[in-house]
Amino acid sequence: MRHRNAGRTLSRSASHRLALFRNLTRALVEHERITTTVPKAKELRPFVERIITIAKRGVASGDPIKTLHARRLVIARLGPVAKVELLDVKGEPTGKTLLKKIFDDLAIRYADRPGGYTRILKLHKRRLGDAGPTAIIELLKQGEVKAAKRSAAPATTAPTPRPEPKPESAATPPSESPEASASTNSPTGQEAAASEPKSNESQS
Amino acid sequence: MAVPKRRTSRARQGNRRSHHHVTPPQVQYCPQCNEPVLPHGVCPNCGYYQGREAVPVKTEGK
């Protein structure tokens, strides 16, 4: 049984792992986009997003006491790295601590986003040394929405329209006729486009 | 200690090895540049994924 075995240990003790997540969080918030291994990126995602959600909740309440509470909860998760001053692209200090950026920038930026503040992109490049699979994890920019359906993209392996927006599922040519898959495709696309702004409105 | 009674014949050896083949990696083709890409991966050639997501690609040399 794999009960209570969620998550990866990443070959680290609990304290080592926590330190790793804190360091990666600092790097991610500072640079907005970092390259790491796929398992680390996947483990980091819930850690970072939870912190942003706590900050968001604190800021959205408008209550200074609740905001302070949220700040303390985030500090409890981040530990010493919360007070690290972030550097800009040139390596100059920005005068902003990690905690400040999370509360002043990220909590505002993601105010209308119901979770999912990061994106993981798998890269082809393997790590030198252990050939570990690498990925980019990045913080979404303001107002990013789902990638548009790739209808205009030239079909390569499958000449027929692809049944799914995900390119990975498109290796096998769809068994349906082009008309059938196209007709099933377009309503779902309109539906997704219609439901997108609606869900945003209900959030704000 | 247990030892083989007979030398393995070349036929038997070949039969055993008949399953020792390498499977080619499953690849998709980038809709942007038609280069082979691994499933769920950013295109190493043009840096596209899901029709956008330009990961800056080094053009000079590499």
Side-chain angles (χ1 to χ4, degrees):
Chain A
M1 288 188 294
R2 57 157 297 282
H3 294 176
R4 310 179 75 181
N5 282 337
R8 300 168 179 81
T9 58
L10 300 171
S11 304
R12 280 157 177 84
S13 63
S15 56
H16 188 179
R17 201 156 48 238
L18 180 61
L20 171 75
F21 288 148
R22 285 168 171 176
N23 289 335
L24 284 173
T25 303
R26 198 273 305 153
L28 177 63
V29 172
E30 181 169 346
H31 300 288
E32 302 270 319
R33 162 184 276 207
I34 56 174
T35 306
T36 179
T37 65
V38 171
K40 277 180 197 157
K42 288 192 169 183
E43 288 298 307
L44 177 64
R45 170 148 70 173
F47 185 84
V48 173
E49 296 202 348
R50 192 73 187 149
I51 286 171
I52 295 174
T53 303
I54 293 171
K56 227 172 81 168
R57 214 190 289 140
V59 170
S61 69
D63 182 351
I65 295 179
K66 281 187 179 156
T67 311
L68 177 65
H69 180 52
R71 208 169 266 271
R72 285 176 175 164
L73 287 175
V74 170
I75 290 171
R77 279 168 192 257
L78 286 177
V81 298
K83 297 192 187 78
V84 171
E85 189 175 352
L86 300 181
L87 307 177
D88 64 12
V89 190
K90 295 183 205 102
E92 302 292 324
T94 55
K96 232 177 209 190
T97 62
L98 175 61
L99 189 70
K100 193 166 163 58
K101 181 163 180 188
I102 290 173
F103 274 80
D104 293 358
D105 296 357
L106 301 186
I108 311 297
R109 190 196 298 179
Y110 300 131
D112 292 335
R113 191 178 286 280
Y117 318 118
T118 59
R119 173 184 297 128
I120 295 176
L121 297 167
K122 288 176 192 154
L123 300 175
H124 279 62
K125 203 169 167 57
R126 292 300 191 114
R127 271 201 327 185
L128 196 63
D130 70 351
T134 60
I136 285 175
I137 180 166
E138 62 182 4
L139 291 168
L140 264 60
K141 295 177 190 69
Q142 183 79 47
E144 273 195 81
V145 290
K146 271 202 181 316
K149 282 232 162 78
R150 300 181 305 115
S151 50
T156 54
T157 47
T160 50
R162 290 159 187 211
E164 290 289 321
K166 293 172 187 166
E168 53 269 18
S169 63
T172 54
S175 53
E176 304 160 338
S177 69
E179 291 86 9
S181 60
S183 61
T184 52
N185 211 359
S186 54
T188 53
Q190 286 163 0
E191 211 171 84
S195 63
E196 193 91 17
K198 206 161 71 183
S199 63
N200 281 352
E201 278 163 23
S202 63
Q203 278 294 318
S204 56
Chain B
M1 200 174 74
V3 288
K5 189 172 187 176
R6 290 248 172 253
R7 166 200 178 115
T8 308
S9 70
R10 272 182 291 185
R12 200 165 262 280
Q13 178 183 313
N15 284 342
R16 181 170 65 241
R17 292 180 184 170
S18 68
H19 296 288
H20 295 183
H21 41 67
V22 177
T23 51
Q26 273 221 315
V27 292
Q28 318 287 329
Y29 290 91
C30 175
Q32 199 71 27
C33 61
N34 283 347
E35 285 290 307
V37 286
L38 290 175
H40 310 274
V42 175
C43 176
N45 185 48
C46 64
Y48 267 66
Y49 182 60
Q50 300 216 335
R52 55 161 187 190
E53 296 301 351
V55 174
V57 176
K58 292 175 199 129
T59 44
E60 293 299 310
K62 169 89 185 184

